[in-house]
Every structure is written in structure tokens, then in C-alpha cells.
Amino acid sequence: MHVKYFGVYLDCHLSWHEQELNIATKLAREKGMLYQIRHYFDSKTLHMIYYGIFSSILIYGSPIWGQHYRIVKKLPILQNQAIRITNFKPKHSTT
């Protein structure tokens, strides 16, 4: 059982599983949006959109849930994919 409190999902064991799923779902959706709009904006505007949408999802509540190893390990993968999208880099290139 979990409860959503100020946008952060808490459960009685503090496993952060629901929070991880929620953030991963949001970031995947925003990554797809970045991929679709990247041909219509210049790179400066894409970076502003990234920081306005993608980065804000990552930062919100991170002092609370950001110490959990599983989340800290998984989310940079999505973040690197979004950065590659905004910079028109191939899928397996370095960020």
C-alpha cells in the first residue's frame, strides 16, 4: 500500500518502488515528446525544454527519494537518452 503526498509516493517500507515507476513513466513520456519535437526547434530551445520539463521531474522530491540505490542507478539512463535526443546523437554514443 502506498500514499501520494505532495507528489511523492510513500509506502510503509520506504522501498520507493511506486515513486520509481511514477518517475520512469513520466520521463519516458517526456523523452518521447522530446524525440518528436526535436526537428522543429533549435538546440538552445530544446535545452530549455529539457530543463523546464525533464529536469524538473528529476529534481522534484529528490532529496527525499534520491538516496535509494535502485532509483539513482536507473534514472541517469533515461536522462542520458534525453540528452542524446536533444543533441541529435546516435543511440549508443556517449553523452
Side-chain angles (χ1 to χ4, degrees):
M1 185 172 147
H2 63 275
V3 63
K4 184 177 180 181
Y5 187 69
F6 287 118
V8 177
Y9 287 89
L10 302 168
D11 64 356
C12 60
H13 302 290
L14 291 179
S15 67
W16 304 108
H17 182 68
E18 286 297 322
Q19 181 69 16
E20 178 185 8
L21 289 176
N22 182 38
I23 291 175
T25 302
K26 284 182 182 180
L27 293 179
R29 183 175 53 234
E30 300 306 327
K31 187 179 72 167
M33 184 265 310
L34 282 173
Y35 187 79
Q36 290 178 356
I37 67 169
R38 69 183 181 158
H39 295 288
Y40 301 107
F41 296 102
D42 61 345
S43 83
K44 185 177 179 181
T45 306
L46 281 174
H47 289 145
M48 288 177 16
I49 293 170
Y50 166 81
Y51 284 113
I53 297 173
F54 202 89
S55 184
S56 65
I57 294 170
L58 277 173
I59 292 171
Y60 184 77
S62 64
I64 298 167
W65 54 261
Q67 303 302 317
H68 197 272
Y69 176 74
R70 187 180 66 234
I71 296 175
V72 172
K73 187 178 176 182
K74 184 176 184 179
L75 294 182
I77 295 169
L78 293 169
Q79 184 179 19
N80 289 340
Q81 290 171 349
I83 291 171
R84 283 188 204 103
I85 287 171
T86 59
N87 292 321
F88 292 93
K89 298 288 181 182
K91 185 176 182 179
H92 298 291
S93 67
T94 61
T95 55

